[in-house]
């Protein structure tokens, strides 16, 4: 067992070994197991314990990463878990799905020095999975009852995080979600090969055991109005995320066989729970083309491989260096047989049902206002790609919540996201707060967890002031 840190000059970076691509491409299990205890300690001991921990600085949750790495290296795993859990409600989930190469590990000092970053995400997964197995994950215990009730719309990472903190403070907490299972994108958006569903389920079960009440299959605006929820609870949180898919605006985009990424992933994840896979979302034997370069596109191409697609092509209008998705996910997809067509954009879809995608080559022009080079058409360079299933993974926008909820007083930005004013995180309706992607736009799970943590504190302040005012009035 390592007893000192700063082992990076003599100890090479080593992630948990991945299963062979040919094997893992046939199932939805995670592609790698966690570290064995000796491996986890050895990799944690590579940390340089730098004076300014850039890993922490670039972590949205400000996790105490060097500290729990040191505890892990010393074999003090329970303490490492408790410190990790102090800032995150879902450390084992972040360890699996955070793009560490763009956050903590991408800003590791020893990565800059050419030694390869500390494998922070893999160690975080190892710590918390061990904690679950050893029974160190404590039940959620509600604080002294406040007599106040909170309603949370959306059972994704922001809503679940806020629910945990609010329940621990003694509030009665009710979570409403349109789906039949809690978890939001953790359950129905992210495939099992990145996040096996029992990992999410055990978190939700812990919250339910702690007294949080889940109302599933409830669509606000249909099953219940926002006004009714406001009357039912002392405060509300809107944490719905953003679910309206962006689509290509090219001829043939309405053809059968052209589907939205989230619809496709939801169908695949439902099948993972045992539901029948609808024919229109089954890639088996089909020539699949995925349009997009983000993490959702990577989820789609790798899901299509596992469904038995005859071929999988991914079109992205910029080059590999400028794609928004994780480079690790691209590497995994390439290992599994996905073909990437960089600097390519769809011009039209042929056939109904779709039979081909007409593709235009692109080039990168001058930078835009944000410094990112703008894709431009490369004249005279079109080609056709055969396709039986086209999946559009172009990002997500907010649904029109003021209309959907029957609450025109809810103010939105020009992008449709809710305005939740600083520093209260309250919307334009008194006692109605908002957090997560519905405020910041489509983003990372780790940011949703942070927003859930912060909005819970703001709601506690509001509820405390409201209780005090009611006592004075009485």
């Amino acid at each position: 067992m390592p007893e000192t840190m700063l082992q990076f000059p003599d100890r090479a970076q080593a992630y948990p070994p991945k299963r062979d691509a040919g094997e893992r491409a046939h199932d939805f299990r995670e592609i790698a197991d966690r570290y064995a205890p000796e491996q986890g300690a050895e990799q944690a001991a590579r940390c340089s314990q730098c004076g300014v921990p850039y890993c922490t600085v670039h972590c949205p949750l400000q996790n105490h990463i060097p500290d729990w790495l040191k505890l892990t290296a010393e074999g003090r795993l329970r303490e490492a878990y408790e410190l990790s859990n102090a800032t995150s409600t879902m450390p084992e989930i972040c360890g699996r799905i955070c793009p560490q190469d763009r956050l903590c590990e991408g800003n590791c000092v020893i990565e800059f020095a050419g030694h390869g970053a500390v494998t922070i995400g893999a160690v975080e997964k190892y710590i918390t999975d061990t904690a679950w197995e050893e029974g160190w994950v404590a039940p959620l215990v509600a604080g002294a009852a406040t007599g106040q009730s909170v309603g949370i719309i959306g059972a994704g990472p922001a809503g679940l995080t806020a629910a945990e903190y609010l329940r621990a403070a003694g509030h009665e907490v009710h979570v409403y979600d349109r789906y039949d299972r809690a978890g939001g994108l953790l359950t129905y958006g992210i495939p099992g090969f990145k996040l096996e569903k029992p990992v999410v389920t055990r978190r939700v079960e812990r919250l339910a055991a702690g007294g949080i009440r889940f109302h599933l299959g409830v669509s606000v605006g249909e099953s219940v109005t926002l006004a009714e929820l406001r009357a039912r609870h002392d405060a509300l949180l809107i944490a719905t995320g953003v679910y309206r898919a962006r689509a290509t605006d090219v001829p043939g985009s309405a053809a059968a066989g052209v589907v939205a990424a989230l619809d496709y992933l939801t169908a695949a994840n439902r099948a993972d729970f045992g539901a029948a896979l609808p024919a229109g979302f089954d890639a088996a034997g089909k020539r699949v083309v995925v349009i997009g370069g983000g993490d959702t596109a990577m989820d789609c191409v790798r899901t299509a491989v596992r469904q038995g697609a005859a071929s999988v092509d991914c079109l992205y209008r910029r080059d590999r260096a400028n794609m928004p998705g994780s480079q690790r996910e691209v590497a995994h997809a390439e290992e599994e047989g996905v073909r990437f067509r960089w600097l390519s954009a769809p011009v039209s879809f042929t056939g109904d049902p779709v039979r081909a995608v007409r593709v235009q080559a692109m080039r990168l022009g001058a930078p835009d206002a944000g410094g990112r080079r703008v894709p431009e058409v490369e004249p005279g360079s079109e080609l056709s790609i055969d396709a039986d299933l086209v999946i559009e993974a172009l990002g997500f926008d907010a649904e029109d919540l003021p209309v959907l909820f029957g609450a025109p007083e809810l103010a939105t930005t020009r992008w449709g996201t809710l305005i939740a004013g600083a520093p209260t995180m309250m919307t334009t309706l008194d006692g109605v707060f908002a957090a997560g992607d519905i405020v910041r736009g489509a983003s990372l799970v780790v940011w949703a967890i942070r927003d859930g943590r912060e909005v819970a504190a703001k709601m506690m302040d509001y509820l405390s002031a409201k209780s005090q005012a009611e006592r004075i009035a009485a």
Side-chain angles (χ1 to χ4, degrees), residues 113-128:
H115 291 278
V118 177
T119 54
I120 297 167
V123 174
E124 185 175 36
K125 171 184 172 180
Y126 158 64
I127 291 169
T128 316

Side-chain angles (χ1 to χ4, degrees), residues 109-192:
V109 167
I110 66 172
E111 170 75 8
F112 298 155
H115 291 278
V118 177
T119 54
I120 297 167
V123 174
E124 185 175 36
K125 171 184 172 180
Y126 158 64
I127 291 169
T128 316
D129 280 0
T130 302
W132 278 101
E133 287 186 358
E134 296 295 328
W136 302 338
V137 179
L140 171 59
V141 177
T146 64
Q148 292 174 304
S149 173
V150 175
I152 296 175
I153 306 170
L160 294 180
T161 295
E164 178 166 345
Y165 285 113
L166 288 162
R167 183 61 183 153
H171 300 296
E172 183 180 300
V173 179
H174 295 255
V175 179
Y176 303 86
D177 197 271
R178 72 181 86 182
Y179 287 115
D180 59 340
R181 289 180 174 86
L185 291 180
L186 300 177
T187 296
Y188 283 133
I190 298 173

Side-chain angles (χ1 to χ4, degrees), residues 97-404:
I97 65 174
C98 268
Q100 288 95 7
D101 53 336
R102 304 204 306 263
L103 298 172
C104 53
E105 293 179 23
N107 292 279
C108 177
V109 167
I110 66 172
E111 170 75 8
F112 298 155
H115 291 278
V118 177
T119 54
I120 297 167
V123 174
E124 185 175 36
K125 171 184 172 180
Y126 158 64
I127 291 169
T128 316
D129 280 0
T130 302
W132 278 101
E133 287 186 358
E134 296 295 328
W136 302 338
V137 179
L140 171 59
V141 177
T146 64
Q148 292 174 304
S149 173
V150 175
I152 296 175
I153 306 170
L160 294 180
T161 295
E164 178 166 345
Y165 285 113
L166 288 162
R167 183 61 183 153
H171 300 296
E172 183 180 300
V173 179
H174 295 255
V175 179
Y176 303 86
D177 197 271
R178 72 181 86 182
Y179 287 115
D180 59 340
R181 289 180 174 86
L185 291 180
L186 300 177
T187 296
Y188 283 133
I190 298 173
F193 53 78
K194 287 171 62 176
L195 178 62
E196 292 180 1
K197 300 312 160 187
V199 176
V200 181
T201 301
R202 68 189 179 190
R203 277 286 170 192
V204 174
E205 289 175 345
R206 175 178 171 272
L207 298 181
I212 294 172
R213 295 184 60 185
F214 288 91
H215 307 269
L216 303 176
V218 175
S219 295
V220 178
E222 297 178 7
S223 310
V224 64
T225 67
L226 188 69
E228 288 171 334
L229 290 181
R230 291 184 73 193
R232 188 179 300 174
H233 301 289
D234 294 287
L236 286 181
L237 169 62
I238 300 174
T240 56
V242 291
Y243 279 83
R244 186 159 59 88
R246 297 173 189 159
T248 53
D249 184 19
V250 300
S253 59
V258 180
V259 302
L262 188 55
D263 293 341
Y264 174 69
L265 292 173
T266 299
N269 278 305
R270 286 190 184 280
D272 204 15
F273 283 108
L277 186 63
F281 299 99
D282 189 353
K286 295 180 180 178
R287 299 162 297 182
V288 178
V289 173
V290 177
I291 301 168
D295 289 334
T296 300
M298 299 307 101
D299 292 344
C300 290
V301 296
R302 299 182 65 201
T303 295
V305 167
R306 284 157 175 77
Q307 289 181 342
S311 63
V312 182
D313 288 87
C314 184
L315 310 182
Y316 181 56
R317 61 181 183 157
R318 290 184 168 91
D319 59 11
R320 182 173 189 149
N322 286 280
M323 70 172 295
S326 167
Q327 293 292 338
R328 288 182 190 171
E329 288 298 303
V330 175
H332 295 330
E334 287 177 326
E335 292 168 359
E336 294 164 5
V338 175
R339 178 168 54 182
F340 286 86
R341 296 177 181 266
W342 309 110
L343 293 166
S344 300
V347 175
S348 63
F349 303 132
T350 305
D352 189 3
V354 68
R355 285 290 173 262
V357 180
R358 193 73 184 167
V359 176
Q360 171 72 62
M362 308 294 286
R363 64 189 178 199
L364 294 180
D368 59 17
R372 200 174 184 203
R373 295 177 67 187
V374 178
E376 299 174 347
V377 170
E378 187 74 62
S381 55
E382 290 189 11
L383 59 89
S384 183
I385 302 174
D386 293 336
D388 307 303
L389 176 62
V390 176
I391 303 169
E392 297 181 318
L394 303 171
F396 305 96
D397 292 319
E399 298 164 287
D400 191 348
L401 290 194
V403 171
L404 191 65

Side-chain angles (χ1 to χ4, degrees), residues 153 220-221 225-227 229-230 236-240 399-414 416-421 425-435 438-439:
I153 306 170
V220 178
T225 67
L226 188 69
L229 290 181
R230 291 184 73 193
L236 286 181
L237 169 62
I238 300 174
T240 56
E399 298 164 287
D400 191 348
L401 290 194
V403 171
L404 191 65
F405 287 0
E409 312 94 324
L410 275 176
T412 63
T413 67
R414 61 191 177 98
T417 51
L418 293 183
I419 294 174
M425 300 180 74
M426 193 185 298
T427 68
T428 46
L429 291 175
D430 181 60
V432 179
F433 297 76
I438 193 57
V439 175

Side-chain angles (χ1 to χ4, degrees), residues 88 96 200 204 308 444 452:
S88 175
R96 284 168 163 85
V200 181
V204 174
L444 301 173

